[in-house]
Amino acid sequence: MTEQSLTNGDSRAFFHPITNRLSAPLCQPEPEGGVREAQGASASGHTMQKQHDKASEPHRYRTHTCGQLRKAQVGETVKLSGWVHRVRDHGGLLFIDLRDHYGLTQCVIEPESPEFPLAEQLRAEWVVTVEGQVVARSDDTINPDLPTGEIEIRIGKLEVLSKAAELPLPVFGEPDYPEETRLKYRFLDLRRETLHRNIMKRSQIIASLRQRMIEAGFFEFQTPILTASSPEGARDFLVPARLHPGKFYALPQAPQQFKQLIMIAGFDRYFQIAPCFRDEDARADRSPGEFYQLDIEMSFVTQEDVFEAVEPVLRGVFEEFAEGKRVTAKFPRIPYREAIKKYGTDKPDLRNPIIMEDVSEHFRGSGFKLFANLLDKDARNQVWAIPAPTGGSRAFCDRMNSWAQGEGQPGLGYIFFKDGAGSGPVAKNIGPKRTAALRDQLGLKDGDAVFFAAGNPAKFAEFAGQARTRVGRELNLIDEDQFAFCWIVDFPMFEWDEENKKIDFSHNPFSMPQGGLEALENAKSDTELLDILAYQYDVVCNGVELSSGAIRNHKPEIMYKAFEIAGYDRAVLEQKFGGMLRALQYGAPPHGGIAPGIDRMVMLLCGAQNIREVTLFPMNQQAEDLMMGAPSEVSAAQLRELHIRLNLPKS
RNA sequence: GGGGGUGUAGCUCAGUUGGUUAGAGCGCUGGCCUGUCACGCCAGAGGCCGCGGGUUCGAGUCCCGUCACUCCCGCCA
C-alpha cells in the first residue's frame, strides 16, 4: 500500500486547475490493474462491486464510488451517491459534478428527461443518488484532469437524499474563509479537498506508525484517562470526583508514569497512540489542551537501543509520506552543548547549512575595541561568527542589522567580502590581516558576508540562532526538499533557575544522570552539578522538536538524591511520586523511551503551518470548540452533585 | 497576564487631505443559454463601516476606550 498511496496522495502533480480537486482522488482504485485499492476504499469498494455483479438487486445507494468509473465500464448502468459539487446549467443541458470521498464524476441530463425539473433545482452540497448509463465522452470533451474524465453518467433517475441550506462556507473552489467560520462549520471545511486530504494522510500516518511499531515487537496498551494530578510540568485539566467530594482526577499530561509502570510490570516493549492533556495556552503548532504522542517505552535498553528502535520507524514513516523529499539516512547525534555552539538552539534546522564558529581569537586585542574590551572584561565572553554565503552586499548586511535592532539588540556587526578584501566598519577596525584570517577560518569568499554576536554565549546564543535562521532563509540557503533529522543528546541533568536562584531539573526528574549516583554525590559545587549530563535526548526534524526522551532513573536512591539537589525533600518526593517510588523498590528493570509528537509529524508531512490544518475537530486559540460549543455551562444540579460552588471573577 | 496584526455586503478586498446616495469581484436569488468542467450573458437582493465614547458644521476615514479573531512572549516536567 505504501508506495501506491503515496502516488495517490500526491496532490500537486495532479492538481486539477479548474475544480481544485485531485485528479487522482483520495484512495481510489486504479483503473487498469485494479489491485491498487488503498485503505478505506477497499472494503466498501469490494462490497459494492460484488453487489453489482449479482446484478439483479443493485445497492440502495451506489454500485460504484465517484472516483471509480473508467472507459471499461462504458455501457453499464450504475448508481452513484454523493454531494453536488458543482452545477453547470446550460439551459438545454445540465452538468452535475458529483463528489464523494473517492473522487468526482460528471453527470449530465437533458431537458427531455423526466428528472430534468428536479435536476434544475439542485444546489451545491445537496446529497443525491444518480442512476444512469456510463457513456464515453467524445474526444473533444474528455477532461484529462479528472481520473473519471473519459466518461460521464447520463442521468436516468435522480433522487435527493438530503438538501443543503445556503452554505456559510463553500466547498467548491476552497475560497479563503475566516478561521472562525471554518471552525464553526468544520464538517463543511472537512469536505474541502485540502483538509480532507490532510486528515486522510494523518490517518494513514498513524496506521503506518502502528504497523511499524507492532512489526518492531512493541505492544499497544491503553492507559487511564482519569488519573491523579501530577505536581511537575504543565497545568492539569481537573475532573471533579463525584464519589469523593473535594477531590479531583486529572487528565494525563502524558502517560509518563504509566509507561514506566508497564515496564516495571514486565511487559518489555510498550507503545500507544496516546492522547495527552495540558492546560496551557495555544500556539500555531500547539493545540490548546490536547494532542497525541507516539508514546514508547522499552526495558533493558541503553540510549543507543532506543535510537536503533525508534529511528527506523521515524525514517520509514517519513520516507513513506515524504512525497519524494529526501529523509536523513542516519540521524546524526549532536551533543546539546555542540548544538548550542553551532546552531544557537537545541532544535537546529539542519536544512540550513550555516554553522556558527567561535572567532574570539581574531578579536582579542584587536582594533575593534567594542569586542576586544568585551573579551578582556570576562573570560566567559566570546565572539561568534554567523557565516552568510552569498550575503555579501551592504544592503543585505544593513537589513540584517536593522532586523537585529528591531529585536532589541544593539546591532549586528558584519564584514562582507568583495574584490578580495573585507568591507564594513568591523573590517576597517581589525585590519586586513585579521579580516583575511577570519575569512580563511570560515571558508568564505568574495560575495559572502559574516555576522558577529558577542558577549556571554549563555545570553546571546538564542539570538545568534535566530540570526542564523534568518540569514539562511533570506539568502535561500535552506534546502526545502528534505526532512533533516538529528538526535540531540547529552542534555544537562540540571539547570540554574534564575527566578528562584536555585538548581532545578532541566527536563524530566525521572531521567538517569550520566555517571549515576556517584556523579550526583561527587559534584562539589553548583558548577559541577550543572555539568552533570543526563541520558536525555530529543529528536529534531527541520528545526521542529518532535520529541523528548530519556533513559529513566530506575533506582530510588538516585531519585532521592536528584530531588534533594533540586531542593525537594524526601517527604515531598514520597507524597508526589509515592506510587512510582514504591514500584521502583520491588525490582524495576532499567528502561527508557521517547514520545514523538504525532501532530507535529503530520504537520511536517502535510507541509501545514498550523495544527488546525491536520486536526479533525480543533479548538480555537481560546480553547473553545466553536462547533460543539465547548466549554459550556452546566446545570445547578450537576454542580450540586459534584459538591462544587462557582466562585466567578467579578468582571 | 503582556505585545503585534486584522476588523467595511455571506466571503475576499477597494474606499483620496475628513465632504453628496459606501464600491468591485466571488457567492446568493431570478431570467436566458445543448458540451461545460473556475461555463457564459442579463437583472436583482444584500451594509449599525466590530461596539461605545470623543473631536468636528460634517467621521468608514482623526483621537480614546472596548470586544472578537489571529500570531508571538510568558507557559508547555
Side-chain angles (χ1 to χ4, degrees):
Chain A
M1 137 232 149
T2 61
E3 293 300 313
Q4 289 158 350
S5 65
L6 258 190
T7 319
N8 278 349
D10 179 27
S11 54
R12 295 180 185 278
F14 298 90
F15 210 74
H16 193 296
I18 298 164
T19 61
N20 273 348
R21 285 198 75 83
L22 289 181
S23 56
L26 300 155
C27 310
Q28 57 124 34
E30 201 62 5
E32 53 278 314
V35 262
R36 204 175 184 180
E37 289 206 324
Q39 61 276 45
S42 52
S44 51
H46 276 138
T47 318
M48 278 179 273
Q49 198 54 54
K50 228 181 273 167
Q51 280 168 344
H52 184 55
D53 289 345
K54 271 195 254 162
S56 54
E57 239 351 78
H59 187 263
R60 167 73 177 87
Y61 296 116
R62 56 184 178 187
T63 59
H64 297 76
T65 70
C66 294
Q68 208 172 0
L69 295 168
R70 300 290 183 276
K71 246 183 176 163
Q73 286 82 37
V74 165
E76 290 181 26
T77 298
V78 301
K79 203 187 256 189
L80 301 183
S81 286
W83 286 262
V84 173
H85 190 60
R86 184 74 171 157
V87 179
R88 290 176 298 281
D89 186 351
H90 290 237
L93 187 67
L94 192 149
F95 297 99
I96 298 161
D97 289 337
L98 196 64
R99 183 197 74 234
D100 67 10
H101 173 77
Y102 306 97
L104 197 66
T105 300
Q106 173 168 287
C107 308
V108 61
I109 188 167
E110 293 174 3
E112 295 72 38
S113 165
E115 302 281 28
F116 192 79
L118 179 58
E120 279 188 310
Q121 290 171 36
L122 295 185
R123 292 292 177 270
E125 300 308 307
W126 286 25
V127 179
V128 300
T129 297
V130 158
E131 196 173 347
Q133 209 176 31
V134 182
V135 296
R137 299 206 208 175
S138 66
D139 285 350
D140 57 325
T141 60
I142 284 175
N143 184 345
D145 299 319
L146 223 53
T148 61
E150 287 189 306
I151 55 96
E152 63 193 6
I153 309 297
R154 193 150 300 259
I155 297 175
K157 279 192 209 151
L158 178 64
E159 182 188 0
V160 175
L161 301 176
S162 175
K163 292 184 180 184
E166 189 182 332
L167 300 171
L169 177 78
V171 176
F172 170 77
E174 299 194 37
D176 283 349
Y177 259 62
E179 188 93 42
E180 211 175 338
T181 310
R182 294 181 53 197
L183 291 174
K184 185 169 177 190
Y185 299 96
R186 190 64 170 178
F187 47 89
L188 289 176
D189 200 10
L190 287 164
R191 289 182 198 167
R192 293 167 161 216
E193 185 66 39
T194 307
L195 243 197
H196 204 91
R197 188 174 58 229
N198 284 357
I199 297 300
M200 280 309 294
K201 195 164 186 174
R202 182 191 181 107
S203 169
Q204 290 159 354
I205 288 167
I206 289 175
S208 175
L209 286 170
R210 194 168 253 136
Q211 192 186 327
R212 287 168 193 276
M213 290 305 291
I214 291 168
E215 276 169 11
F218 288 86
F219 314 109
E220 185 167 14
F221 301 111
Q222 284 72 51
T223 50
I225 298 300
L226 293 176
T227 181
S229 178
S230 80
E232 298 290 323
R235 199 177 292 116
D236 284 318
F237 278 104
L238 298 177
V239 179
R242 177 179 58 83
L243 297 176
H244 301 274
K247 292 187 177 177
F248 294 81
Y249 302 99
L251 306 184
Q253 298 183 20
Q256 178 65 36
Q257 293 190 62
F258 287 113
K259 69 174 174 179
Q260 294 192 236
L261 290 162
I262 290 170
M263 294 302 99
I264 293 167
F267 288 99
D268 204 65
R269 281 158 95 88
Y270 146 91
F271 87 99
Q272 180 180 199
I273 310 293
C276 304
F277 306 91
R278 296 177 192 175
D279 187 3
E280 299 293 350
D281 290 345
R283 289 289 182 279
D285 65 347
R286 203 169 82 199
S287 290
E290 53 188 75
F291 60 97
Y292 284 82
Q293 291 181 338
L294 171 60
D295 199 34
I296 298 173
E297 198 74 6
M298 312 160 71
S299 288
F300 304 110
V301 289
T302 63
Q303 175 172 297
E304 213 41 48
D305 295 322
V306 175
F307 292 176
E308 272 170 34
V310 172
E311 193 173 314
V313 172
L314 292 180
R315 183 168 48 241
V317 85
F318 269 75
E319 280 170 348
E320 182 180 347
F321 294 99
E323 296 178 357
K325 291 189 179 182
R326 301 192 318 284
V327 180
T328 310
K330 170 86 182 154
F331 301 0
R333 286 109 205 247
I334 306 172
Y336 170 81
R337 289 191 175 120
E338 183 186 329
I340 299 293
K341 283 182 82 125
K342 286 182 166 175
Y343 312 108
T345 173
D346 60 1
K347 40 185 181 191
D349 185 348
L350 295 183
R351 297 174 304 168
N352 181 344
I354 296 174
I355 295 176
M356 303 193 295
E357 291 187 36
D358 180 353
V359 291
S360 304
E361 290 318 307
H362 300 289
F363 288 96
R364 205 178 296 283
S366 76
F368 191 44
K369 292 300 172 204
L370 183 65
F371 284 7
N373 290 343
L374 265 175
L375 292 169
D376 284 344
K377 203 168 69 185
D378 191 330
R380 285 174 304 184
N381 285 350
Q382 295 181 348
V383 180
W384 287 8
I386 307 157
T390 75
S393 75
R394 190 175 293 277
F396 174 69
C397 293
D398 284 346
R399 202 158 72 237
M400 283 300 297
N401 188 50
S402 34
W403 164 78
Q405 286 168 345
E407 295 290 301
Q409 301 292 325
L412 195 57
Y414 60 82
I415 297 174
F416 62 99
F417 299 96
K418 61 171 188 183
D419 307 325
S423 304
V426 175
K428 242 172 243 151
N429 278 306
I430 64 173
K433 212 168 153 190
R434 285 170 183 265
T435 301
L438 256 172
R439 190 193 55 202
D440 291 347
Q441 180 185 332
L442 300 170
L444 296 172
K445 54 185 188 333
D446 275 5
D448 296 342
V450 55
F451 296 93
F452 301 102
N456 183 346
K459 301 241 166 71
F460 74 68
E462 188 186 345
F463 166 71
Q466 288 168 7
R468 169 183 176 270
T469 300
R470 191 170 181 87
V471 168
R473 213 171 42 221
E474 296 259 322
L475 298 175
N476 284 321
L477 302 176
I478 293 170
D479 176 3
E480 302 279 354
D481 224 22
Q482 61 168 326
F483 290 105
F485 279 90
C486 60
W487 294 101
I488 307 296
V489 299
D490 299 340
F491 276 85
M493 181 76 190
F494 302 104
E495 67 185 7
W496 186 248
D497 177 354
E498 194 55 47
E499 196 181 331
N500 298 307
K501 303 286 178 207
K502 71 175 198 63
I503 283 183
D504 203 354
F505 295 108
S506 76
H507 266 70
N508 186 325
F510 302 119
S511 298
M512 181 69 100
Q514 294 186 20
L517 186 59
E518 245 175 81
L520 298 186
E521 284 176 338
N522 290 344
K524 296 280 180 289
S525 61
D526 280 0
T527 317
E528 284 181 34
L529 282 169
L530 290 169
D531 277 340
I532 295 174
L533 303 177
Y535 289 112
Q536 168 89 42
Y537 37 84
D538 281 3
V539 62
V540 173
C541 177
N542 290 3
V544 176
E545 182 193 316
L546 282 185
S547 173
S548 278
I551 296 300
R552 320 299 172 189
N553 171 15
H554 67 283
K555 295 186 171 173
E557 62 270 24
I558 301 181
M559 192 102 116
Y560 281 121
K561 183 69 188 170
F563 272 79
E564 181 193 313
I565 290 169
Y568 302 97
D569 69 29
R570 246 183 136 83
V572 173
L573 175 58
E574 279 163 7
Q575 186 206 336
K576 303 294 189 187
F577 300 105
M580 195 67 205
L581 268 179
R582 206 177 315 128
L584 294 182
Q585 280 156 3
Y586 294 96
H591 60 286
I594 194 165
I598 288 184
D599 308 84
R600 286 187 181 172
M601 279 193 257
V602 177
M603 277 180 77
L604 282 167
L605 287 167
C606 287
Q609 298 303 308
N610 193 297
I611 198 158
R612 292 184 292 271
E613 302 301 315
V614 296
T615 308
L616 258 179
F617 299 111
M619 297 196 281
N620 68 6
Q621 205 184 27
Q622 281 69 244
E624 297 164 304
D625 179 337
L626 297 176
M627 187 176 62
M628 302 301 284
S632 60
E633 291 172 348
V634 298
S635 70
Q638 284 172 295
L639 289 175
R640 213 159 35 238
E641 200 167 43
L642 296 167
H643 311 282
I644 285 178
R645 185 176 300 145
L646 299 180
N647 177 17
L648 301 174
K650 289 232 163 61
S651 66

